[in-house]
Amino acid sequence: MAGLSGALIGCGFFAVNQMHAWRDIEGAAIIAVCDRDPERLKIVGDQFGVTRRYTDAAELFAAETLDFVDIATTVGSHRPLVEMAAAHGVPVICQKPFAPTLADAKAMVKACADAGVPLMVHENFRWQSPIQAVRAVLDSGEIGTPFFGRISFRSGYDVFSGQPYLATGKRFIIEDLGIHILDIARFLLGDVSSLTARTKRINPAIAGEDVATILMDHAGGATSVVDCSYATKLAAEPFPETLIELDGSDGTIRLAQGYRLTVTGKSGTRVSDVSPRLLPWASRPWHNIQESVLAIQRHWVDCLASGQEPATSGADNLRTFALVEAAYAGAASREPVQIEALL
Ligand code: NAD
Ligand code: 89Y
């Protein structure tokens, strides 16, 4: 395959992982970078040897011939940048959270569909190798039909030092982190028909909620609990592990802290270590997330080559994003929220 030429917009904290991953992927290269902050532009341009640099995305699109653009800015700029990519007919990856509201997200999906442009949300958590290992067990039929799930992320890790904006938004854990955990619940148990949510703010130094507990009905019949906290101080800090419990008609799956997978099913009990690889450029404890960045970006290149829709396409992500909106609405009203009504 001839190499794809891509551009990265947003050269901040997380984009460095994306740039490392692009360097590891055959068949695609980042040929231009853009950031409205000249200092960040220089740091990332110099680190990855990219000489074509822009402080204005409109100038980037006007000057470059691109096979795709990778948007790694924070949420406020996602809609204008995705619409700019669509207007230029450039396939687009957009970081999570996809948009500030579901209405914006729908407009972005429509803009890309109308322009015939592929759109993938960088929803990478389902691409973590331990999560893929859980899905493979489910697909094997070993535990039969799942009827219950608990997808849990509880931590006391200081995410605010690397991402200070997380402390200032009115919305925090559901929009930032819960969005991934809700997506994993969909990935494992299918689409959600209704949910009930409760939130709390424990850390007085932040503006948004840092604890969320969400009870969900899945259309396929399973019930799940998604629980997230950044206010949970444990003896051994689990960040950024997602822990999973699934009960099925013929057995159970437990993904426990330390990436220990226990499967009890039709053929007995098997315990395995499903730790992610430590890529040469990765650093603990982020290596789990970093490995998934490489996996999702490879998937994007494969999809562009084959014409297949990405697993976390814009259209797919509307169904995850609807759960975020529903969780905030449900926490405010303390009433159950029907998901189809939002879509
Ligand atoms: P950041 O603030 O460190 O970086 C964002 C960069 O984008 C900044 O350098 C800023 O100057 C630039 N920028 C903003 N608007 C721009 C515009 N219109 N044109 C050009 N440049 C612009 O933020 P971050 O922590 O790197 O987060 C970026 C995104 O990545 C967020 O949406 C965040 O939620 C997401 N994120 C995802 C994961 C994951 O695992 N998928 C992990 C961390 C962060
Ligand atoms: O921004 C978040 C994400 O997407 O993964 C972890 C994180 O960096 C902090 O919650």
Side-chain angles (χ1 to χ4, degrees):
M1 183 177 68
L4 300 172
S5 298
L8 175 88
I9 306 179
C11 298
F13 169 79
F14 199 70
V16 173
N17 298 310
Q18 293 170 225
M19 288 299 287
H20 276 296
W22 286 123
R23 264 210 311 217
D24 285 357
I25 295 173
E26 273 185 44
I30 297 298
I31 56 130
V33 288
C34 170
D35 198 298
R36 63 185 179 193
D37 174 352
E39 211 173 303
R40 287 305 309 171
L41 187 63
K42 179 169 167 35
I43 289 169
V44 169
D46 288 356
Q47 183 179 358
F48 293 94
V50 183
T51 53
R52 284 139 82 166
R53 302 177 188 177
Y54 300 84
T55 50
D56 181 343
E59 283 171 20
L60 165 85
F61 283 110
E64 300 289 343
T65 302
L66 299 170
D67 297 310
F68 71 93
V69 66
D70 188 7
I71 298 171
T73 60
T74 38
V75 66
S77 51
H78 288 176
R79 181 170 175 181
L81 292 172
V82 166
E83 289 180 345
M84 210 183 282
H88 286 83
V90 177
V92 54
I93 308 172
C94 180
Q95 255 298 349
K96 53 58 65 176
F98 185 32
T101 68
L102 187 55
D104 288 305
K106 285 178 182 173
M108 292 152 77
V109 169
K110 184 171 183 317
C112 290
D114 290 350
V117 156
L119 164 64
M120 179 177 85
V121 179
H122 187 118
E123 180 40 81
N124 51 320
F125 270 40
R126 64 162 76 179
W127 286 97
Q128 291 172 7
S129 46
I131 308 297
Q132 293 281 327
V134 169
R135 173 66 190 257
V137 175
L138 272 181
D139 289 346
S140 74
E142 180 68 12
I143 72 154
T145 305
F147 61 84
F148 170 82
R150 177 179 176 207
I151 330 287
S152 178
F153 187 107
R154 310 193 77 78
S155 165
Y157 190 82
D158 173 20
V159 287
F160 309 108
S161 56
Q163 298 169 264
Y165 58 90
L166 294 178
T168 58
K170 252 178 62 192
R171 292 179 164 190
F172 170 39
I173 199 167
I174 300 174
E175 179 185 78
D176 169 63
L177 184 280
I179 195 167
H180 292 303
I181 313 307
L182 291 164
D183 189 68
I184 291 173
R186 277 190 61 230
F187 177 58
L188 297 176
L189 294 171
D191 277 325
V192 174
S193 51
S194 68
L195 65 71
T196 301
R198 297 290 182 268
T199 57
K200 282 190 196 315
R201 178 168 59 86
I202 302 300
N203 180 349
I206 66 169
E209 83 293 348
D210 52 3
V211 179
T213 309
I214 303 167
L215 174 67
M216 307 203 291
D217 293 312
H218 293 261
T223 306
S224 73
V225 176
V226 162
D227 60 294
C228 305
S229 166
Y230 269 130
T232 299
K233 298 167 179 64
L234 290 155
E237 174 52 55
F239 181 87
E241 291 184 51
T242 302
L243 309 184
I244 295 178
E245 298 174 17
L246 292 170
D247 294 2
S249 50
D250 295 304
T252 54
I253 300 173
R254 296 291 182 267
L255 177 61
Q257 191 168 341
Y259 302 110
R260 215 169 88 106
L261 182 65
T262 303
V263 179
T264 299
K266 293 170 185 164
S267 40
T269 293
R270 187 167 43 86
V271 181
S272 53
D273 178 355
V274 290
S275 295
R277 283 177 304 159
L278 180 65
L279 295 170
W281 48 268
S283 51
R284 294 177 192 277
W286 288 85
H287 62 300
N288 181 27
I289 292 178
Q290 289 163 321
E291 188 199 34
S292 71
V293 168
L294 178 58
I296 194 171
Q297 290 179 190
R298 276 214 173 105
H299 174 63
W300 170 251
V301 172
D302 291 346
C303 287
L304 284 189
S306 65
Q308 180 200 336
E309 180 172 325
T312 59
S313 65
D316 175 85
N317 198 255
L318 291 181
R319 296 189 165 273
T320 293
F321 201 89
L323 303 183
V324 170
E325 294 262 283
Y328 283 113
S333 68
R334 300 184 76 81
E335 297 287 339
V337 181
Q338 303 302 318
I339 305 305
E340 276 309 316
L342 300 176
L343 288 166

